[in-house]
Amino acid sequence: MRLAVVGAGAVGRSVLELADEYGHDVVAVADSTTAAVDPDGVAAGEVLARKRETDTVGDDEPAAALSAEYDALVEATPTTLGDAEPGFSHVRRALERDRHVVLANKGPVAERYGDVRELEADSAGSVLFEAAVGGAIPVLSTVADLNGQVTAARGVLNGTANFILSRMAAEGLGYEHVLAEAQDLGVAETDPTFDVEGTDAALKCVILANVLYGGGYTLADAAVDGIADLPGSALELAAEDGRTIRLVGEVSDGEVRVGPRLVPENGTLAVSGTLNIVQLETDHAGRLNISGRGAGGPETASAVLADVGRLPPR
Amino acid sequence: MSETGSYTVRLELVDEPGELLRALRPIADNGGNLLSIFHERGNVTPRGHIPVEVDLEATPAQFDVIVDALRDAGVNVIQAGAERYSEELTVVLVGHLVETDLSDTLQRFQDCGGASVADVSLSAPAGTDEPSSARLRLVASEGRSADALATVREVAAEKELRVVEPLTEGSA
């Protein structure tokens, strides 16, 4: 397929780098200020080098990528809340042109799921967004394969928060100390708010709720509590009792909740480091556990490219 | 009408003279037949109470009256025969626990009915600026743990405490 990649962060760059391996051509790529368009396929190596050196991807305006002749738009711009712009407009534009859309950006399907589905209904294009929930972990495709059998989902969906909690528990270190360490390692962003306040995990749960319950959820419908400033003593007390604390998102009985939860220390949900895990409750198959890397450029790009492979041909 | 059955009542007593006698009186006064008393003197709960296990015979009707009478007498009944306080619930509270009156917090959890605070571990690092943490084990009668948790949330919200809840059922 011919792909247009919008957004040149870690995910967008990895899609550009790996597309060829999956048999696809990237015919357009854009970051927030520039674009490169080539109907025969852009030279990934050159674009990546240029991005590294000058923080631009080409000489064209970003709009040129959106109007290029592609089959599927890969939307990998940063997640935004509320109106989910500019991601939402990118999705709209592609669907109105009867093109497919593959999202890594959580905003449009967390905050405007109904609008996205409505646009999709009027379009010959389809929308997939595996990469938006759990990075490399095939959560949504598993849910789809189970054909309506999934009744509830829960899991650890933020690697940064999980890294902080597992380091605090393992080393007996304080929150601030571990956060600083995570920032040094590049596990946490300079502004870690989205991760430690639970917003990122909540968006993923909201998307799951939209998929499981047929839409109608936004971030405002989620009860969200984060792990910021959790004292080490809380983890110590949990450990004395054979438990630990994880930031767990739950989607069940029509409700979405994210917060620190007590889980058995050696239980399934107590994954360590930056790993993520999702548990699906099903009608006939019992509980399924899927764990893996929930973030990272190549990891998330693999989910994007798996979605591209699932798209109907145009 | 009803047959006499045997019941086990688990009580927690304050370590003071006369407490055991006070706890046993409502049993005898209401027609219960004491079978055995296991007074775990060496085994003090984290709150400094002494657990006592009492086996008795009574009709179901008498037994209900006995449990009520024990509670009226201020005796802490943890487990009462068939009405097993079977659902356990562990939560961790974080915040200014001491400043917001921990004993009042615990009392209110207890007062919500159907639940009892079985033990408490407090970790308060030096200095009152730092938030402290407490791990509580609540035992709730069957089907009441959701109510107990709701009370915990409500009291915690009022006192600006954070609650680290256990995962909902079947999640181990």
Side-chain angles (χ1 to χ4, degrees):
Chain A
M1 268 195 192
R2 294 170 300 165
L3 307 180
V5 179
V6 182
V11 177
R13 291 199 306 271
S14 290
V15 171
L16 180 60
E17 198 173 346
L18 299 176
D20 184 52
E21 221 177 284
Y22 286 74
H24 305 298
D25 295 319
V26 177
V27 295
V29 54
D31 63 9
S32 56
T33 53
T34 59
V37 179
D38 187 335
D40 299 323
V42 300
E46 280 170 36
V47 172
L48 291 168
R50 179 167 174 164
K51 178 69 183 168
R52 241 186 340 265
E53 285 152 22
T54 67
D55 202 25
T56 60
V57 295
D59 295 322
D60 293 320
E61 293 289 316
L66 295 171
S67 52
E69 284 304 318
Y70 61 82
D71 300 308
L73 178 78
V74 173
E75 222 299 336
T77 63
T79 295
T80 52
L81 305 181
D83 63 6
E85 293 293 2
F88 182 79
S89 290
H90 298 162
V91 174
R92 183 208 305 270
R93 179 85 196 277
L95 289 173
E96 282 174 354
R97 293 179 64 205
D98 290 328
R99 310 298 156 113
H100 298 306
V101 176
V102 173
L103 286 152
N105 177 356
K106 294 179 275 295
V109 270
E111 296 285 65
R112 301 181 70 177
Y113 186 80
D115 293 340
V116 170
R117 288 301 193 201
E118 217 168 278
L119 288 167
E120 186 192 31
D122 290 336
S123 170
S126 304
V127 181
L128 293 173
F129 41 95
E130 178 72 87
V133 180
I137 309 173
V139 181
L140 298 179
S141 51
T142 304
V143 170
D145 282 350
L146 286 162
N147 227 332
Q149 267 197 48
V150 177
T151 54
R154 71 159 78 80
V156 170
L157 286 161
N158 185 274
T160 304
N162 204 64
F163 175 88
I164 292 172
L165 291 174
S166 43
R167 282 288 289 168
M168 283 176 71
E171 309 293 333
L173 298 167
Y175 173 80
E176 291 295 337
H177 182 112
V178 175
L179 174 60
E181 183 186 85
Q183 285 168 326
D184 289 345
L185 288 169
V187 169
E189 317 236 354
T190 320
D191 176 4
T193 317
F194 234 55
D195 297 316
V196 301
E197 298 291 355
T199 315
D200 174 72
L203 287 168
K204 293 165 184 167
C205 289
V206 166
I207 295 171
L208 268 168
N210 278 329
V211 170
L212 294 183
Y213 306 130
Y217 292 82
T218 69
L219 186 58
D221 299 307
V224 188
D225 186 13
I227 60 147
D229 302 316
L230 198 73
S233 56
L235 283 146
E236 281 163 25
L237 285 174
E240 279 173 22
D241 198 33
R243 297 162 204 252
T244 191
I245 299 174
R246 287 292 182 266
L247 182 65
V248 176
E250 296 173 83
V251 181
S252 66
D253 300 328
E255 285 183 21
V256 179
R257 299 175 67 209
V258 173
R261 299 273 183 270
L262 286 168
V263 299
E265 203 165 19
N266 299 311
T268 320
L269 282 177
V271 290
S272 57
T274 57
L275 279 184
N276 285 19
I277 180 161
V278 176
Q279 293 188 325
L280 301 174
E281 299 291 341
T282 68
D283 282 329
H284 308 301
R287 178 183 295 160
L288 297 171
N289 299 305
I290 330 172
S291 76
R293 297 193 183 170
E299 292 87 348
T300 309
S302 82
V304 168
L305 290 161
D307 266 352
V308 172
R310 292 181 189 107
L311 289 168
R314 269 185 86 243
Chain B
M1 189 179 78
S2 315
E3 278 184 39
T4 301
S6 73
Y7 297 88
T8 301
V9 186
R10 193 173 159 86
L11 314 171
E12 279 186 15
L13 301 183
V14 181
D15 191 7
E16 278 171 13
E19 271 300 300
L20 182 60
L21 186 61
R22 198 169 72 83
L24 297 180
R25 184 164 293 138
I27 298 173
D29 287 354
N30 292 289
N33 178 30
L34 277 170
L35 297 175
S36 76
I37 302 164
F38 181 49
H39 196 194
E40 301 172 49
R41 259 205 144 277
N43 185 12
V44 179
T45 70
R47 285 184 299 160
H49 292 180
I50 298 169
V52 178
E53 220 166 79
V54 179
D55 289 332
L56 59 98
E57 274 180 345
T59 65
Q62 283 172 332
F63 181 71
D64 289 343
V65 175
I66 289 169
V67 172
D68 287 344
L70 284 167
R71 291 200 167 120
D72 287 346
V75 176
N76 195 4
V77 182
I78 296 295
Q79 209 177 57
E83 189 212 2
R84 288 255 155 192
Y85 278 58
S86 53
E87 295 181 19
E88 278 202 6
L89 197 65
T90 299
V91 299
V92 171
L93 295 178
V94 177
H96 294 287
L97 294 162
V98 179
E99 293 85 340
T100 57
D101 195 348
L102 184 58
S103 56
D104 170 70
T105 306
L106 299 181
Q107 189 59 51
R108 286 173 64 186
F109 292 167
Q110 193 102 16
D111 289 348
C112 76
S116 160
V117 179
D119 71 53
V120 180
S121 302
L122 178 70
S123 170
T128 47
D129 291 348
E130 283 279 300
S132 47
S133 307
R135 186 186 69 239
L136 313 183
R137 191 163 57 88
L138 304 168
V139 274
S141 44
E142 218 176 313
R144 296 295 298 276
S145 55
D147 294 347
L149 196 54
T151 306
V152 170
R153 280 182 201 152
E154 191 182 309
V155 175
E158 187 188 309
K159 298 193 174 199
E160 295 184 10
L161 304 173
R162 291 167 77 172
V163 186
V164 180
E165 292 178 20
L167 273 179
T168 40
E169 88 314 327
S171 46

mmCIF file with all atom_site columns, all heavy atoms in Angstrom, chain A residues 140-152 211-214 280-285:
data_model
loop_
_atom_site.group_PDB
_atom_site.id
_atom_site.type_symbol
_atom_site.label_atom_id
_atom_site.label_alt_id
_atom_site.label_comp_id
_atom_site.label_asym_id
_atom_site.label_entity_id
_atom_site.label_seq_id
_atom_site.pdbx_PDB_ins_code
_atom_site.Cartn_x
_atom_site.Cartn_y
_atom_site.Cartn_z
_atom_site.occupancy
_atom_site.B_iso_or_equiv
_atom_site.pdbx_formal_charge
_atom_site.auth_seq_id
_atom_site.auth_comp_id
_atom_site.auth_asym_id
_atom_site.auth_atom_id
_atom_site.pdbx_PDB_model_num
ATOM 1   N N   . LEU A 1 140 ? -6.562  -4.627  20.401 1.00 0.00 ? 140 LEU A N   1
ATOM 2   C CA  . LEU A 1 140 ? -7.813  -4.403  19.671 1.00 0.00 ? 140 LEU A CA  1
ATOM 3   C C   . LEU A 1 140 ? -8.071  -5.492  18.632 1.00 0.00 ? 140 LEU A C   1
ATOM 4   O O   . LEU A 1 140 ? -9.221  -5.872  18.404 1.00 0.00 ? 140 LEU A O   1
ATOM 5   C CB  . LEU A 1 140 ? -7.794  -3.019  19.017 1.00 0.00 ? 140 LEU A CB  1
ATOM 6   C CG  . LEU A 1 140 ? -7.696  -1.852  20.006 1.00 0.00 ? 140 LEU A CG  1
ATOM 7   C CD1 . LEU A 1 140 ? -7.651  -0.529  19.259 1.00 0.00 ? 140 LEU A CD1 1
ATOM 8   C CD2 . LEU A 1 140 ? -8.865  -1.862  20.984 1.00 0.00 ? 140 LEU A CD2 1
ATOM 9   N N   . SER A 1 141 ? -7.001  -5.999  18.024 1.00 0.00 ? 141 SER A N   1
ATOM 10  C CA  . SER A 1 141 ? -7.227  -7.062  17.039 1.00 0.00 ? 141 SER A CA  1
ATOM 11  C C   . SER A 1 141 ? -7.696  -8.336  17.743 1.00 0.00 ? 141 SER A C   1
ATOM 12  O O   . SER A 1 141 ? -8.513  -9.084  17.208 1.00 0.00 ? 141 SER A O   1
ATOM 13  C CB  . SER A 1 141 ? -5.961  -7.320  16.220 1.00 0.00 ? 141 SER A CB  1
ATOM 14  O OG  . SER A 1 141 ? -4.856  -7.509  17.053 1.00 0.00 ? 141 SER A OG  1
ATOM 15  N N   . THR A 1 142 ? -7.198  -8.555  18.970 1.00 0.00 ? 142 THR A N   1
ATOM 16  C CA  . THR A 1 142 ? -7.666  -9.706  19.745 1.00 0.00 ? 142 THR A CA  1
ATOM 17  C C   . THR A 1 142 ? -9.142  -9.521  20.103 1.00 0.00 ? 142 THR A C   1
ATOM 18  O O   . THR A 1 142 ? -9.943  -10.445 19.977 1.00 0.00 ? 142 THR A O   1
ATOM 19  C CB  . THR A 1 142 ? -6.822  -9.879  21.029 1.00 0.00 ? 142 THR A CB  1
ATOM 20  O OG1 . THR A 1 142 ? -5.453  -9.981  20.654 1.00 0.00 ? 142 THR A OG1 1
ATOM 21  C CG2 . THR A 1 142 ? -7.228  -11.115 21.802 1.00 0.00 ? 142 THR A CG2 1
ATOM 22  N N   . VAL A 1 143 ? -9.480  -8.321  20.534 1.00 0.00 ? 143 VAL A N   1
ATOM 23  C CA  . VAL A 1 143 ? -10.880 -8.021  20.859 1.00 0.00 ? 143 VAL A CA  1
ATOM 24  C C   . VAL A 1 143 ? -11.756 -8.263  19.627 1.00 0.00 ? 143 VAL A C   1
ATOM 25  O O   . VAL A 1 143 ? -12.817 -8.877  19.711 1.00 0.00 ? 143 VAL A O   1
ATOM 26  C CB  . VAL A 1 143 ? -11.032 -6.559  21.352 1.00 0.00 ? 143 VAL A CB  1
ATOM 27  C CG1 . VAL A 1 143 ? -12.500 -6.167  21.447 1.00 0.00 ? 143 VAL A CG1 1
ATOM 28  C CG2 . VAL A 1 143 ? -10.350 -6.378  22.708 1.00 0.00 ? 143 VAL A CG2 1
ATOM 29  N N   . ALA A 1 144 ? -11.280 -7.815  18.469 1.00 0.00 ? 144 ALA A N   1
ATOM 30  C CA  . ALA A 1 144 ? -12.049 -7.985  17.236 1.00 0.00 ? 144 ALA A CA  1
ATOM 31  C C   . ALA A 1 144 ? -12.184 -9.467  16.883 1.00 0.00 ? 144 ALA A C   1
ATOM 32  O O   . ALA A 1 144 ? -13.264 -9.935  16.524 1.00 0.00 ? 144 ALA A O   1
ATOM 33  C CB  . ALA A 1 144 ? -11.385 -7.225  16.096 1.00 0.00 ? 144 ALA A CB  1
ATOM 34  N N   . ASP A 1 145 ? -11.088 -10.213 17.035 1.00 0.00 ? 145 ASP A N   1
ATOM 35  C CA  . ASP A 1 145 ? -11.118 -11.641 16.734 1.00 0.00 ? 145 ASP A CA  1
ATOM 36  C C   . ASP A 1 145 ? -12.095 -12.382 17.642 1.00 0.00 ? 145 ASP A C   1
ATOM 37  O O   . ASP A 1 145 ? -12.676 -13.395 17.257 1.00 0.00 ? 145 ASP A O   1
ATOM 38  C CB  . ASP A 1 145 ? -9.726  -12.261 16.907 1.00 0.00 ? 145 ASP A CB  1
ATOM 39  C CG  . ASP A 1 145 ? -8.815  -11.948 15.734 1.00 0.00 ? 145 ASP A CG  1
ATOM 40  O OD1 . ASP A 1 145 ? -9.327  -11.420 14.728 1.00 0.00 ? 145 ASP A OD1 1
ATOM 41  O OD2 . ASP A 1 145 ? -7.604  -12.205 15.833 1.00 0.00 ? 145 ASP A OD2 1
ATOM 42  N N   . LEU A 1 146 ? -12.227 -11.902 18.874 1.00 0.00 ? 146 LEU A N   1
ATOM 43  C CA  . LEU A 1 146 ? -13.109 -12.578 19.824 1.00 0.00 ? 146 LEU A CA  1
ATOM 44  C C   . LEU A 1 146 ? -14.581 -12.269 19.559 1.00 0.00 ? 146 LEU A C   1
ATOM 45  O O   . LEU A 1 146 ? -15.461 -12.800 20.233 1.00 0.00 ? 146 LEU A O   1
ATOM 46  C CB  . LEU A 1 146 ? -12.716 -12.220 21.259 1.00 0.00 ? 146 LEU A CB  1
ATOM 47  C CG  . LEU A 1 146 ? -11.428 -12.921 21.700 1.00 0.00 ? 146 LEU A CG  1
ATOM 48  C CD1 . LEU A 1 146 ? -10.833 -12.240 22.924 1.00 0.00 ? 146 LEU A CD1 1
ATOM 49  C CD2 . LEU A 1 146 ? -11.710 -14.386 21.998 1.00 0.00 ? 146 LEU A CD2 1
ATOM 50  N N   . ASN A 1 147 ? -14.813 -11.370 18.609 1.00 0.00 ? 147 ASN A N   1
ATOM 51  C CA  . ASN A 1 147 ? -16.155 -11.243 18.066 1.00 0.00 ? 147 ASN A CA  1
ATOM 52  C C   . ASN A 1 147 ? -17.248 -10.937 19.084 1.00 0.00 ? 147 ASN A C   1
ATOM 53  O O   . ASN A 1 147 ? -18.257 -11.642 19.162 1.00 0.00 ? 147 ASN A O   1
ATOM 54  C CB  . ASN A 1 147 ? -16.493 -12.583 17.386 1.00 0.00 ? 147 ASN A CB  1
ATOM 55  C CG  . ASN A 1 147 ? -17.067 -12.339 16.024 1.00 0.00 ? 147 ASN A CG  1
ATOM 56  O OD1 . ASN A 1 147 ? -17.668 -11.296 15.797 1.00 0.00 ? 147 ASN A OD1 1
ATOM 57  N ND2 . ASN A 1 147 ? -16.879 -13.289 15.120 1.00 0.00 ? 147 ASN A ND2 1
ATOM 58  N N   . GLY A 1 148 ? -17.045 -9.928  19.897 1.00 0.00 ? 148 GLY A N   1
ATOM 59  C CA  . GLY A 1 148 ? -18.085 -9.549  20.847 1.00 0.00 ? 148 GLY A CA  1
ATOM 60  C C   . GLY A 1 148 ? -18.086 -10.326 22.144 1.00 0.00 ? 148 GLY A C   1
ATOM 61  O O   . GLY A 1 148 ? -18.920 -10.107 23.006 1.00 0.00 ? 148 GLY A O   1
ATOM 62  N N   . GLN A 1 149 ? -17.131 -11.240 22.286 1.00 0.00 ? 149 GLN A N   1
ATOM 63  C CA  . GLN A 1 149 ? -17.071 -12.055 23.509 1.00 0.00 ? 149 GLN A CA  1
ATOM 64  C C   . GLN A 1 149 ? -16.432 -11.348 24.693 1.00 0.00 ? 149 GLN A C   1
ATOM 65  O O   . GLN A 1 149 ? -16.565 -11.797 25.818 1.00 0.00 ? 149 GLN A O   1
ATOM 66  C CB  . GLN A 1 149 ? -16.225 -13.291 23.235 1.00 0.00 ? 149 GLN A CB  1
ATOM 67  C CG  . GLN A 1 149 ? -16.982 -14.488 22.796 1.00 0.00 ? 149 GLN A CG  1
ATOM 68  C CD  . GLN A 1 149 ? -16.101 -15.709 22.974 1.00 0.00 ? 149 GLN A CD  1
ATOM 69  O OE1 . GLN A 1 149 ? -15.476 -15.925 24.002 1.00 0.00 ? 149 GLN A OE1 1
ATOM 70  N NE2 . GLN A 1 149 ? -16.038 -16.514 21.934 1.00 0.00 ? 149 GLN A NE2 1
ATOM 71  N N   . VAL A 1 150 ? -15.686 -10.288 24.424 1.00 0.00 ? 150 VAL A N   1
ATOM 72  C CA  . VAL A 1 150 ? -14.973 -9.629  25.527 1.00 0.00 ? 150 VAL A CA  1
ATOM 73  C C   . VAL A 1 150 ? -15.955 -8.791  26.333 1.00 0.00 ? 150 VAL A C   1
ATOM 74  O O   . VAL A 1 150 ? -16.647 -7.931  25.792 1.00 0.00 ? 150 VAL A O   1
ATOM 75  C CB  . VAL A 1 150 ? -13.824 -8.749  24.989 1.00 0.00 ? 150 VAL A CB  1
ATOM 76  C CG1 . VAL A 1 150 ? -13.143 -8.003  26.128 1.00 0.00 ? 150 VAL A CG1 1
ATOM 77  C CG2 . VAL A 1 150 ? -12.819 -9.612  24.235 1.00 0.00 ? 150 VAL A CG2 1
ATOM 78  N N   . THR A 1 151 ? -16.012 -9.070  27.627 1.00 0.00 ? 151 THR A N   1
ATOM 79  C CA  . THR A 1 151 ? -16.961 -8.364  28.478 1.00 0.00 ? 151 THR A CA  1
ATOM 80  C C   . THR A 1 151 ? -16.296 -7.264  29.300 1.00 0.00 ? 151 THR A C   1
ATOM 81  O O   . THR A 1 151 ? -16.951 -6.315  29.705 1.00 0.00 ? 151 THR A O   1
ATOM 82  C CB  . THR A 1 151 ? -17.643 -9.338  29.453 1.00 0.00 ? 151 THR A CB  1
ATOM 83  O OG1 . THR A 1 151 ? -16.610 -10.049 30.156 1.00 0.00 ? 151 THR A OG1 1
ATOM 84  C CG2 . THR A 1 151 ? -18.506 -10.336 28.697 1.00 0.00 ? 151 THR A CG2 1
ATOM 85  N N   . ALA A 1 152 ? -15.018 -7.408  29.563 1.00 0.00 ? 152 ALA A N   1
ATOM 86  C CA  . ALA A 1 152 ? -14.323 -6.410  30.374 1.00 0.00 ? 152 ALA A CA  1
ATOM 87  C C   . ALA A 1 152 ? -12.835 -6.489  30.084 1.00 0.00 ? 152 ALA A C   1
ATOM 88  O O   . ALA A 1 152 ? -12.337 -7.509  29.595 1.00 0.00 ? 152 ALA A O   1
ATOM 89  C CB  . ALA A 1 152 ? -14.578 -6.653  31.861 1.00 0.00 ? 152 ALA A CB  1
ATOM 90  N N   . VAL A 1 211 ? -14.677 0.767   22.040 1.00 0.00 ? 211 VAL A N   1
ATOM 91  C CA  . VAL A 1 211 ? -14.725 -0.429  21.194 1.00 0.00 ? 211 VAL A CA  1
ATOM 92  C C   . VAL A 1 211 ? -15.665 -1.482  21.796 1.00 0.00 ? 211 VAL A C   1
ATOM 93  O O   . VAL A 1 211 ? -16.492 -2.068  21.111 1.00 0.00 ? 211 VAL A O   1
ATOM 94  C CB  . VAL A 1 211 ? -13.302 -1.005  21.008 1.00 0.00 ? 211 VAL A CB  1
ATOM 95  C CG1 . VAL A 1 211 ? -13.351 -2.374  20.345 1.00 0.00 ? 211 VAL A CG1 1
ATOM 96  C CG2 . VAL A 1 211 ? -12.451 -0.043  20.181 1.00 0.00 ? 211 VAL A CG2 1
ATOM 97  N N   . LEU A 1 212 ? -15.539 -1.703  23.112 1.00 0.00 ? 212 LEU A N   1
ATOM 98  C CA  . LEU A 1 212 ? -16.344 -2.752  23.756 1.00 0.00 ? 212 LEU A CA  1
ATOM 99  C C   . LEU A 1 212 ? -17.822 -2.381  23.843 1.00 0.00 ? 212 LEU A C   1
ATOM 100 O O   . LEU A 1 212 ? -18.688 -3.238  23.719 1.00 0.00 ? 212 LEU A O   1
ATOM 101 C CB  . LEU A 1 212 ? -15.822 -3.043  25.172 1.00 0.00 ? 212 LEU A CB  1
ATOM 102 C CG  . LEU A 1 212 ? -14.439 -3.667  25.296 1.00 0.00 ? 212 LEU A CG  1
ATOM 103 C CD1 . LEU A 1 212 ? -14.122 -3.957  26.766 1.00 0.00 ? 212 LEU A CD1 1
ATOM 104 C CD2 . LEU A 1 212 ? -14.346 -4.957  24.492 1.00 0.00 ? 212 LEU A CD2 1
ATOM 105 N N   . TYR A 1 213 ? -18.100 -1.107  24.079 1.00 0.00 ? 213 TYR A N   1
ATOM 106 C CA  . TYR A 1 213 ? -19.487 -0.713  24.329 1.00 0.00 ? 213 TYR A CA  1
ATOM 107 C C   . TYR A 1 213 ? -20.096 0.123   23.196 1.00 0.00 ? 213 TYR A C   1
ATOM 108 O O   . TYR A 1 213 ? -21.133 0.758   23.377 1.00 0.00 ? 213 TYR A O   1
ATOM 109 C CB  . TYR A 1 213 ? -19.590 0.050   25.658 1.00 0.00 ? 213 TYR A CB  1
ATOM 110 C CG  . TYR A 1 213 ? -19.009 -0.695  26.842 1.00 0.00 ? 213 TYR A CG  1
ATOM 111 C CD1 . TYR A 1 213 ? -18.117 -0.074  27.703 1.00 0.00 ? 213 TYR A CD1 1
ATOM 112 C CD2 . TYR A 1 213 ? -19.349 -2.029  27.081 1.00 0.00 ? 213 TYR A CD2 1
ATOM 113 C CE1 . TYR A 1 213 ? -17.581 -0.760  28.787 1.00 0.00 ? 213 TYR A CE1 1
ATOM 114 C CE2 . TYR A 1 213 ? -18.816 -2.715  28.165 1.00 0.00 ? 213 TYR A CE2 1
ATOM 115 C CZ  . TYR A 1 213 ? -17.932 -2.081  29.014 1.00 0.00 ? 213 TYR A CZ  1
ATOM 116 O OH  . TYR A 1 213 ? -17.401 -2.745  30.090 1.00 0.00 ? 213 TYR A OH  1
ATOM 117 N N   . GLY A 1 214 ? -19.409 0.157   22.052 1.00 0.00 ? 214 GLY A N   1
ATOM 118 C CA  . GLY A 1 214 ? -19.996 0.834   20.894 1.00 0.00 ? 214 GLY A CA  1
ATOM 119 C C   . GLY A 1 214 ? -19.987 2.348   20.960 1.00 0.00 ? 214 GLY A C   1
ATOM 120 O O   . GLY A 1 214 ? -20.867 2.999   20.410 1.00 0.00 ? 214 GLY A O   1
ATOM 121 N N   . LEU A 1 280 ? -8.166  -9.600  29.313 1.00 0.00 ? 280 LEU A N   1
ATOM 122 C CA  . LEU A 1 280 ? -9.503  -9.529  28.728 1.00 0.00 ? 280 LEU A CA  1
ATOM 123 C C   . LEU A 1 280 ? -10.371 -10.613 29.355 1.00 0.00 ? 280 LEU A C   1
ATOM 124 O O   . LEU A 1 280 ? -9.969  -11.773 29.422 1.00 0.00 ? 280 LEU A O   1
ATOM 125 C CB  . LEU A 1 280 ? -9.435  -9.743  27.211 1.00 0.00 ? 280 LEU A CB  1
ATOM 126 C CG  . LEU A 1 280 ? -8.565  -8.762  26.412 1.00 0.00 ? 280 LEU A CG  1
ATOM 127 C CD1 . LEU A 1 280 ? -8.489  -9.202  24.951 1.00 0.00 ? 280 LEU A CD1 1
ATOM 128 C CD2 . LEU A 1 280 ? -9.111  -7.344  26.508 1.00 0.00 ? 280 LEU A CD2 1
ATOM 129 N N   . GLU A 1 281 ? -11.544 -10.214 29.816 1.00 0.00 ? 281 GLU A N   1
ATOM 130 C CA  . GLU A 1 281 ? -12.514 -11.191 30.319 1.00 0.00 ? 281 GLU A CA  1
ATOM 131 C C   . GLU A 1 281 ? -13.445 -11.539 29.168 1.00 0.00 ? 281 GLU A C   1
ATOM 132 O O   . GLU A 1 281 ? -13.967 -10.632 28.508 1.00 0.00 ? 281 GLU A O   1
ATOM 133 C CB  . GLU A 1 281 ? -13.343 -10.594 31.464 1.00 0.00 ? 281 GLU A CB  1
ATOM 134 C CG  . GLU A 1 281 ? -12.557 -10.173 32.686 1.00 0.00 ? 281 GLU A CG  1
ATOM 135 C CD  . GLU A 1 281 ? -11.974 -11.343 33.462 1.00 0.00 ? 281 GLU A CD  1
ATOM 136 O OE1 . GLU A 1 281 ? -12.470 -12.481 33.278 1.00 0.00 ? 281 GLU A OE1 1
ATOM 137 O OE2 . GLU A 1 281 ? -11.023 -11.127 34.226 1.00 0.00 ? 281 GLU A OE2 1
ATOM 138 N N   . THR A 1 282 ? -13.624 -12.824 28.955 1.00 0.00 ? 282 THR A N   1
ATOM 139 C CA  . THR A 1 282 ? -14.468 -13.215 27.824 1.00 0.00 ? 282 THR A CA  1
ATOM 140 C C   . THR A 1 282 ? -15.592 -14.125 28.284 1.00 0.00 ? 282 THR A C   1
ATOM 141 O O   . THR A 1 282 ? -15.532 -14.712 29.365 1.00 0.00 ? 282 THR A O   1
ATOM 142 C CB  . THR A 1 282 ? -13.651 -13.975 26.762 1.00 0.00 ? 282 THR A CB  1
ATOM 143 O OG1 . THR A 1 282 ? -13.266 -15.236 27.309 1.00 0.00 ? 282 THR A OG1 1
ATOM 144 C CG2 . THR A 1 282 ? -12.406 -13.208 26.355 1.00 0.00 ? 282 THR A CG2 1
ATOM 145 N N   . ASP A 1 283 ? -16.611 -14.236 27.455 1.00 0.00 ? 283 ASP A N   1
ATOM 146 C CA  . ASP A 1 283 ? -17.749 -15.087 27.789 1.00 0.00 ? 283 ASP A CA  1
ATOM 147 C C   . ASP A 1 283 ? -17.377 -16.561 27.830 1.00 0.00 ? 283 ASP A C   1
ATOM 148 O O   . ASP A 1 283 ? -17.746 -17.278 28.747 1.00 0.00 ? 283 ASP A O   1
ATOM 149 C CB  . ASP A 1 283 ? -18.863 -14.891 26.756 1.00 0.00 ? 283 ASP A CB  1
ATOM 150 C CG  . ASP A 1 283 ? -19.632 -13.603 27.007 1.00 0.00 ? 283 ASP A CG  1
ATOM 151 O OD1 . ASP A 1 283 ? -19.731 -13.211 28.187 1.00 0.00 ? 283 ASP A OD1 1
ATOM 152 O OD2 . ASP A 1 283 ? -20.113 -13.001 26.037 1.00 0.00 ? 283 ASP A OD2 1
ATOM 153 N N   . HIS A 1 284 ? -16.684 -17.017 26.823 1.00 0.00 ? 284 HIS A N   1
ATOM 154 C CA  . HIS A 1 284 ? -16.449 -18.457 26.717 1.00 0.00 ? 284 HIS A CA  1
ATOM 155 C C   . HIS A 1 284 ? -14.995 -18.856 26.829 1.00 0.00 ? 284 HIS A C   1
ATOM 156 O O   . HIS A 1 284 ? -14.689 -20.030 26.990 1.00 0.00 ? 284 HIS A O   1
ATOM 157 C CB  . HIS A 1 284 ? -16.997 -18.969 25.374 1.00 0.00 ? 284 HIS A CB  1
ATOM 158 C CG  . HIS A 1 284 ? -18.408 -18.564 25.144 1.00 0.00 ? 284 HIS A CG  1
ATOM 159 N ND1 . HIS A 1 284 ? -19.421 -18.920 26.002 1.00 0.00 ? 284 HIS A ND1 1
ATOM 160 C CD2 . HIS A 1 284 ? -18.970 -17.794 24.185 1.00 0.00 ? 284 HIS A CD2 1
ATOM 161 C CE1 . HIS A 1 284 ? -20.556 -18.389 25.563 1.00 0.00 ? 284 HIS A CE1 1
ATOM 162 N NE2 . HIS A 1 284 ? -20.301 -17.702 24.468 1.00 0.00 ? 284 HIS A NE2 1
ATOM 163 N N   . ALA A 1 285 ? -14.106 -17.901 26.735 1.00 0.00 ? 285 ALA A N   1
ATOM 164 C CA  . ALA A 1 285 ? -12.685 -18.248 26.716 1.00 0.00 ? 285 ALA A CA  1
ATOM 165 C C   . ALA A 1 285 ? -11.978 -17.922 28.018 1.00 0.00 ? 285 ALA A C   1
ATOM 166 O O   . ALA A 1 285 ? -10.758 -18.000 28.106 1.00 0.00 ? 285 ALA A O   1
ATOM 167 C CB  . ALA A 1 285 ? -11.998 -17.546 25.545 1.00 0.00 ? 285 ALA A CB  1
#
